[in-house]
Each structure stands twice: as structure tokens, then as C-alpha cells.
Amino acid sequence: MKHSSGLDAIRGVAIGLVLIRHLFVEIYPDSLLAKLFVLSACGVDLFFVLSGFLIGGILMDNRDKQNYFEIFYVRRALRILPLYALLVIPICNLVGEPLLPFLTFTQNFLWADGRVGNPLTVITWSLAVEEQFYLVLPAIVRFWPTGRLLHLIVALICAAPIARIVLNHAYGDTAPAYFLLPARMDGLFLGVLAAFLVRKRQSNRWLNEHRRELYAGALLLALPVILMTWLISWQQVDGRSPLMQYFGYSAPPLLFFVVLLLVVTGEQGVPAILSPLCWLGLGAYSLYLTHRICLFLAIGVVGQYISAIALALSVLASLVLWRLVEKPFITFGRERFRYRDRDGDLASIRPA
């Protein structure tokens, strides 16, 4: 698939929601902004849907290549590990977190029992979920019969709310439904479902010919999200209540799924006014890993304008890290490691 400014914009929205959550909502919990963006934590769900779409698409496009597993995991390592090792591992040593879970991307289990994590490291729970997702999805795409792949994807999406119920009862706490892969796989596999649908000629044609229905579906799915925002903001229901966890966790990913389909099947580019979102999307990974660190620095240095200064520091840090760390490793992965057909010929180069 060609590089898409629309997907960059979606990634920009996702990291924008995360930044609003951590730099504004949590700093000024009684503000009007905090009430309006009480569900800004669902930016992580948007990342999950987008990740499922991009990774699922790469795997489907290359499922018959002879070096399918090797190239996928090498490129993922080059995309994720350099910046992760540069930022997360030193922070773990600094705050006294056990290193092994972070090296094996199992740190989400540290907080699944309800233990409060350090703000500088707890954000990596979503990276752990995605890395665990990368362990299972390549095998599913490679070995599961293509004619039955859609059934499995839908089944796994539907299984997530059930997993949340089971985990809540098993642990006696709501934390597992937030931190563990089985409870969050609806967003990831909704992204995989979108990748599957746009690659099938018949479903792709339907999506392009029925965009009005997609817009209507997006508006309809926005209603429960708006309702949840109102209920939580005005304390009509707790965000950690069983009802919210069992069903509320699935509402934003379903909305993001339809919005993603609208973006990837549309022919129009991103309007110029939204171009900053594309820029944010390019630096989303470094922004995600650095914004808590920058907030900590801003709190230690200044007593006011904390959020604005932390945001400025985060953007500056992400720009530097993208240029010096992320982009060189991504380019190296694309140029050095290529998929090969079974007869040994090079396949087309896919984005890492």
C-alpha cells in the first residue's frame, strides 16, 4: 500500500488524544476541557485499530513470501526497539522498576493485579499489548485458511467483551480488562478486519459505492461515545464500572473502525488545515514515549503553564528523535530487509 496522509492524520488524532489526556485532563481534572475529553484515553484504542490495519495489511500482502516471518520481525524490531531501548530501559533503572518484564514486553502483567504503576513507565502497557499481538497475528495470517480468516477475525473481536468479563471475575479487579491483550483485542482485530475488507475486491467495491452508509454508521456509533462522555463527566456512571468495561470499551474502537474505512476508501487527500495532524502522526511513537518524561521535567522546573511547556518539549524531542533515531532505522529496515517470493525473487518493498 502507498503511503497515506490520511493514515498519518489518524495517527495524529490518536497521539493528540493521548497528549490531551496526560498533559491537560489529568493536570486540570476539574476544567471544562477535562469534562469534554474525559474519554481521551481512547486514543490508545485508535492506535490499536490503526496498528491492526497496518500490520494486518502487511502480513496479508506478504503471507506467501518465503522469508515472511524473518522480515516481519526484523522490521518490527528496527521500528520499535531502538527508541524503546534509548528511553524506556534507562527510565526503568531510574525509577526502580524490574527490568525483565520491560525487556520481554510483559510489563502489562505488572499492573493487571491492580498495582499502581509509575507514570513514566506505565504508558508502555499498550506497547506490550501490541508486541504480544505481533506474536500471534503473523501465525494466524500465515497458517489459517484464507477462506475462513474472516470468521476467525470476527470471532476474536466478539470474544474481547467476554474476556473482560472473565478476567474481571478471575482477578476480582477491573485492571485486567484494561491492561491485558485478550480484553483489548477487539480494537486490534477490528483493524485487521478493515485490512481484510479493503483487500477483497467485492467488499472494497461495496465500501467505495456505499460511503453514505459508512457516514451514517459513523454518526450512529458516535452517539454511545457521546453518551459515555456525558455520563462519566457528570458522574452518572463510573468509568471503571462493569457496564463500561464490558461494552463501553468496544464503542470507541467500533467508531474508529468505520472512520478508518472512510479514510482508506476515500479518494480525497487530507485538507491543508489538517496537515499538522499528519506531522504529529509521523512523530507519534516518539511523542508517546517522551511526553510523560517532558511533563515530569516541566513540573520540576516551572510552577505554571506546565501543560504548554511539556507539550512544546515533547514536540521538540519527537522531532529530534524522529530525525536521529526513528527514520534512519526505518529506512535501513526497508532497504536492507526485503520480502522474497518462493522462487527467490524480491517482492515489492512494503513499509516497515
Side-chain angles (χ1 to χ4, degrees), residues 10 21 56 119 123 126 188 213 220 227 249 257 261 282 348:
I10 289 178
R21 178 69 181 185
I123 61 169
S126 62
L188 290 160
E213 286 83 348
L220 184 63
L227 177 62
Y249 277 18
F257 164 72
L261 289 176
L282 285 176
S348 57

Side-chain angles (χ1 to χ4, degrees), residues 3 38 71 112 211 223 237 272 288 296 320:
H3 184 84
V38 70
I71 299 302
R211 294 181 60 78
L223 294 178
V237 65
Y288 190 80
F296 175 79
V320 173

Side-chain angles (χ1 to χ4, degrees), residues 59 75 105 140 146 230 277 281 309 341:
L59 294 172
R75 287 188 174 188
F105 287 98
I140 289 174
T146 304
W230 183 83
L277 287 177
I309 293 175
D341 293 320

Side-chain angles (χ1 to χ4, degrees), residues 10-11 13-18 21-22 38-54 123 125-127 129-130 133 160 164 177-192 225 228 232 239 244-260 288:
I10 289 178
R11 194 182 289 108
V13 171
I15 190 61
L17 288 171
V18 171
R21 178 69 181 185
H22 293 156
V38 70
L39 289 182
S40 52
C42 69
V44 173
D45 295 293
L46 182 50
F47 273 125
F48 285 162
V49 174
L50 185 59
S51 180
F53 176 77
L54 294 172
I123 61 169
W125 74 269
S126 62
L127 295 180
V129 168
E130 290 207 24
F133 174 66
R164 290 195 284 268
Y178 189 86
F179 288 113
L180 299 183
L181 172 62
R184 306 308 293 263
M185 63 184 176
D186 45 355
L188 290 160
F189 279 98
L190 278 167
V192 178
V225 176
M228 285 192 299
I232 297 175
M244 294 297 295
Q245 288 211 329
Y246 299 157
F247 303 106
Y249 277 18
S250 294
L254 283 169
L255 172 60
F256 298 148
F257 164 72
V258 177
V259 172
L260 178 62
Y288 190 80

